[in-house]
Every structure is written in structure tokens, then in C-alpha cells.
Amino acid sequence: MPKSKRLLELMMTVNRKRKFTVKELAGEFGVSTRTILRDLQELGELGVPLYSEVGPHGGYQVLNERILPPIAFTEEEAVAIFFASHALRHYTDLPFKEASSSALHKFYHYMPGDVRDRIDEMKNRVDFVTPTRQAESPHLSMLLEAAVQQKVLLIEYAKADAEEQRPAGRLIQPIGVYAHGGLWYCPAYCFQRGGLRIFRCDRMLSAAYDTSGLEPQDLRHIHLGNRELFMPGLGQEQRRMEEGVRDAELPERREQLTLLVQLGKAGVQRCEAEQWTTSQLHIREDGSGWLAGCVAKSELPFLARFVIGLGSEATVQEPPELVQEMKRALAEIMAKYDN
């Protein structure tokens, strides 16, 4: 077997085994132990994180930060991956910010000169615009890891309203993190409320793994793709997060009103950009549509401003309380110009 092929297969083997002896590898590859030792030394020089243990139960072991075997990309695939990572640069925080930056640098540095020139030309001609936010979300990595490992976190959570200055301690079990409108959100099981809630990640002042021995919930069947099935009030919960409604005003404890708003084509397109409309937006074949569902009475000011922003592309049919709130809001605006 050529040395280059043996080194590649050896890299894949040690990544798979994680712990091994020189004698085992020598037998598997049909070479001497001296040859394997030289090969392992070369792998270490290439960046494979190996360390050795002496003694009767010793051997070699791969550190947790493993090196993946080389993968051949076409030029188009490499450019696509570069820009997929490049698009994340607008976010102040990422669950894997340093790794993303490092991968981006490697992709760019090791590409042929003509491919780098092509990327340089494309940088100012393609973008994925995200609103710039000052809010910081430093605990994304821990939240994501807790979601994957089914672990409970103790967080200090700052309320949106100014009435309560002291952050509240919460025990939560995340199911994932997602970005929307330049902000990060974390759907999680809240042990205090006894159900799934959405938390703004930038309001988490601290986060640590819980050491009280609290038994985690079995949430393996819930993920970001199906959370709507387990959070019937997801749209209202999202509006609550965006509007900063007090936590005490939970959706199921507030008076519910029937919502029906007819939409033109442009109105539908605007609603498609809003995550909270996901379960309430219905679209006709001609591109028009309607919003239908339930809305809490305390959310009428938020909805009034939103529908007013749609202009003639929206017509409220229900509830009449929303129409009255829109009239009040418009009168308040007009009063500023009655001089």
C-alpha cells in the first residue's frame, strides 16, 4: 500500500477507534511497529491530536478535538460552503463563532489563487442581510449543547419590563436555538411554568448546568422543526417575546379573541416574513390570503401597529376590538400633527 494511502486510512482509523496500541495498528495494516510509529508521528505533525499513555494498559488516544479526514470538494461546492459561513458574519454571537471563523479562513487560505480571486469578486455582489443588533447572546454554545445532551440549565433571566430590575432564576431544558430578526431565541421546557416557553437569549445574564439533581424531561421527540405541535400558542408566545409582555401574562391565562384579517398579495408577502404568523397565515392560489386564529386581548396594541403597517393590503374583519385599537393608534398619530 502506498504511504500516502496508508496515512489517509490510518487517520480515518484512529478517528474511529479513539484508543489503540501500536501493535494493533501494525497488525491491521500489515507493517512493522516501527513503521506505525513513524506514521503516527507524521499524523501528529499534520495536526491529528494524539497523546500516548505508558504502562500495561497504555497506548495512544485521540483527544476530543478530532481532525476529520480530507474531503474532496469541487470548486462550486467549496465556494458555496464559503459563502454559507460568510453569511453568518452579521451576527454578533454564534453557537460556533470561533470555529466558523477558523473554517472560513482555512477554506479561503488553501484555495487556488484564481478561486480566491473569484470569491473576492463575489463578496460585494451577494449577501444575506440580517438586522444589526447590539444585544449579546454569549451562552448560545451551552444552550445548544444542553439541547443536544438533554441537560437542565440554571439561568438568570432578565424580564423585559422595567418594573422588575432583579433577574429571575429559571431552571430550563432547551430544545434548540434559532435566530430571527437578528436576535436569538431558545424554546425550552421551563420547570417553573411546567411547559414549553420561548426565551430571548440576550436576556440570559448567566447560564450554568444544574447541579441540584433535577431529573431532565424526555424531550428527544421535540425539535425546532416540530415544536409548533407541542406549543399551540407559539404565535402568541413569539409576539409576547417581541413585544415584551410580562411573563405573568401567559397566553393561556389571557382572554382570547377570534382573529380574521383579509390580505392582499403584498400583505401575504409581508406576513410570510414574520415567524409568529406561521400557524395563522393562509394563502390562496392567486397569492392573496388571510390571517385566522386566536389573539390575546393584551396583544391588540402589537397587532394594531402591525396591521396599520400593512396599509390597504389588510382588512380586519374580526375582532372589532382590534379595529377600535387601530383607530385609537391612528388618532394618537394624527394628534401629533394637529397644530
Side-chain angles (χ1 to χ4, degrees), residues 179-193:
H180 175 67
L183 295 173
W184 285 93
Y185 297 87
C186 176
Y189 183 86
C190 176
F191 287 87
Q192 178 181 346
R193 300 296 186 186

Side-chain angles (χ1 to χ4, degrees), residues 130-143:
T130 301
T132 301
R133 301 282 191 171
Q134 298 300 317
E136 296 182 353
S137 301
H139 308 297
L140 294 177
S141 295
M142 180 176 289
L143 293 170

Side-chain angles (χ1 to χ4, degrees), residues 56-75:
H57 301 290
Y60 280 83
Q61 191 164 337
V62 182
L63 297 174
N64 289 332
E65 192 65 30
R66 293 181 294 176
I67 302 295
L68 298 179
I71 302 173
F73 292 104
T74 66
E75 178 180 322

Side-chain angles (χ1 to χ4, degrees), residues 264-329:
K265 294 180 181 179
V268 168
Q269 292 174 0
R270 171 70 186 279
C271 288
E272 285 180 318
E274 301 293 332
Q275 186 175 15
W276 62 264
T277 66
T278 301
S279 61
Q280 298 176 327
L281 179 60
H282 306 271
I283 305 175
R284 302 184 181 93
E285 290 186 3
D286 64 357
S288 65
W290 70 97
L291 288 173
C294 292
V295 56
K297 196 169 184 179
S298 60
E299 293 169 349
L300 291 180
F302 169 82
L303 283 173
R305 290 192 295 274
F306 178 76
V307 175
I308 289 172
L310 297 179
S312 60
E313 288 293 316
T315 303
V316 177
Q317 294 183 332
E318 292 186 76
E321 291 90 342
L322 178 55
V323 176
Q324 293 301 317
E325 181 61 29
M326 291 170 61
K327 290 180 178 180
R328 186 202 64 76

